[in-house]
Amino acid sequence: MAMADHGDFDRAEHQAARLTDPKARASAWAAVTEGAVAAAELDRAERALSRVADPALEWRPRLDLIRAALAAGLPERARAVARKADDLRDRAAAVLLVARDTRDGDLLDEAEQLVEAFTDPIDTMSGLLRMIAVTADWGDRARTRDLIGRLAAVAPPAEEDLKAGFRLVAGQARRVVRLCSTRIRSLTEVAEETSGAGTFIGERRYETAISVVPARYFGPPTKDLSPEEALLKELTEDDWAHVVEDLVDRCPEAYPAIIAELDALAAD
């Protein structure tokens, strides 16, 4: 990640391609994607994203790239990136993001079709809640009413079968349906009630390029040390992989020295 964060993309891509572990390789390409987005290199970011062969790792860099394309005034590109998400739930979330920011009713229809294809009722509830938040924010009373009707028709699993996170979604859905059981008095109230709707959670968790790094349970004690002294202690006593990010963030001039050493080791 340090290579991508410092704009050393050619080297970062080379190292990512060399990794043999699928999770590590996907994580590296996710880091390259996010770094390229931050550097406004959207072509490079899109190429790197296509190599993140893990839906759990591609969700965040994909949304970053979509937001960057929208900010650059490239809605068609944002739509294309959204539609390429492998996981159906991620594709629905990405398409809905573009529809919301561009106020594109046809794209909202597309997101709705994707949500209707979900097989898990909790995913369907979550998707409809997010769509309701968008239409309420747009001030589209008729469409909001229609989506709430669809939400009311979704049969949730038995309460005892719901996990904690799923109960939150089911409870939020019940509140929204009760809120609009007769007529929608306030779209603002609907928007506020649905604005915290979660992602399409399903039976998996999302990951980031950082979350797949081996856990760092205990570092060396640094409580009474200055930041510089703590960093020095970590460099000598901790795993280098856990310290290098802190090192190059605090001392950017260390990055060329680290790379020169790595090149020398690779040449041996």
Side-chain angles (χ1 to χ4, degrees):
M1 287 186 291
M3 294 176 185
D5 288 345
H6 282 73
D8 196 354
F9 294 117
D10 290 341
R11 186 185 300 273
E13 291 170 352
H14 176 70
Q15 294 298 327
R18 292 180 60 191
L19 293 171
T20 57
D21 179 78
K23 181 70 72 173
R25 187 168 57 250
S27 173
W29 283 114
V32 172
T33 304
E34 291 178 352
V37 169
E41 294 196 27
L42 301 191
D43 289 342
R44 186 188 292 272
E46 192 165 351
R47 289 195 302 269
L49 180 63
S50 69
R51 303 191 68 171
V52 184
D54 187 330
L57 278 160
E58 77 165 20
W59 74 277
R60 192 174 79 174
R62 183 174 299 280
L63 294 183
D64 277 352
L65 180 55
I66 288 170
R67 288 188 169 97
L70 289 170
L74 302 170
E76 291 298 332
R77 185 168 195 170
R79 292 186 189 96
V81 173
R83 288 167 173 156
K84 289 178 182 176
D86 290 327
D87 186 272
L88 184 64
R89 293 162 295 186
D90 293 345
R91 197 180 317 144
V95 168
L96 183 59
L97 171 63
V98 181
R100 184 196 71 190
D101 285 11
T102 59
R103 300 184 71 89
D104 187 330
D106 290 338
L107 205 58
L108 190 68
D109 290 340
E110 184 177 329
E112 185 174 355
Q113 291 170 5
L114 293 168
V115 170
E116 288 175 350
F118 293 167
T119 57
D120 187 304
I122 294 298
D123 281 338
T124 303
M125 287 179 179
S126 179
L128 288 170
L129 284 167
R130 290 168 66 98
M131 292 189 66
I132 291 166
V134 171
T135 58
D137 190 55
W138 286 359
D140 190 337
R141 190 173 295 268
R143 183 135 197 191
T144 299
R145 186 184 301 110
D146 176 67
L147 288 169
I148 291 174
R150 292 173 184 267
L151 180 65
V154 178
E159 187 72 21
E160 60 270 17
D161 295 332
L162 290 173
K163 297 179 181 179
F166 298 170
R167 288 194 188 98
L168 293 175
V169 175
Q172 188 177 26
R174 286 193 295 269
R175 289 194 301 274
V176 170
V177 171
R178 282 200 302 268
L179 187 66
C180 307
S181 57
T182 53
R183 63 190 180 92
I184 300 176
R185 185 179 303 278
S186 169
L187 285 177
T188 298
E189 189 174 14
V190 174
E192 289 178 349
E193 182 61 49
T194 54
S195 61
T199 55
F200 310 133
I201 44 184
E203 288 294 330
R204 67 191 176 91
R205 69 181 181 89
Y206 290 116
E207 296 176 313
T208 67
I210 295 175
S211 67
V212 300
V213 174
R216 181 189 191 186
Y217 296 104
F218 300 103
T222 59
K223 180 180 178 181
D224 298 321
L225 301 179
S226 69
E228 292 77 12
E229 291 171 333
L231 182 58
L232 288 171
K233 188 175 181 66
E234 290 172 343
L235 282 169
T236 56
E237 298 182 19
D238 205 352
D239 190 307
W240 182 81
H242 293 305
V243 187
V244 66
E245 294 287 337
D246 293 339
L247 174 61
V248 296
D249 281 345
R250 186 174 291 278
C251 307
E253 64 273 14
Y255 179 77
I258 293 171
I259 293 302
E261 186 64 24
L262 289 174
D263 288 344
L265 289 171
D268 291 342

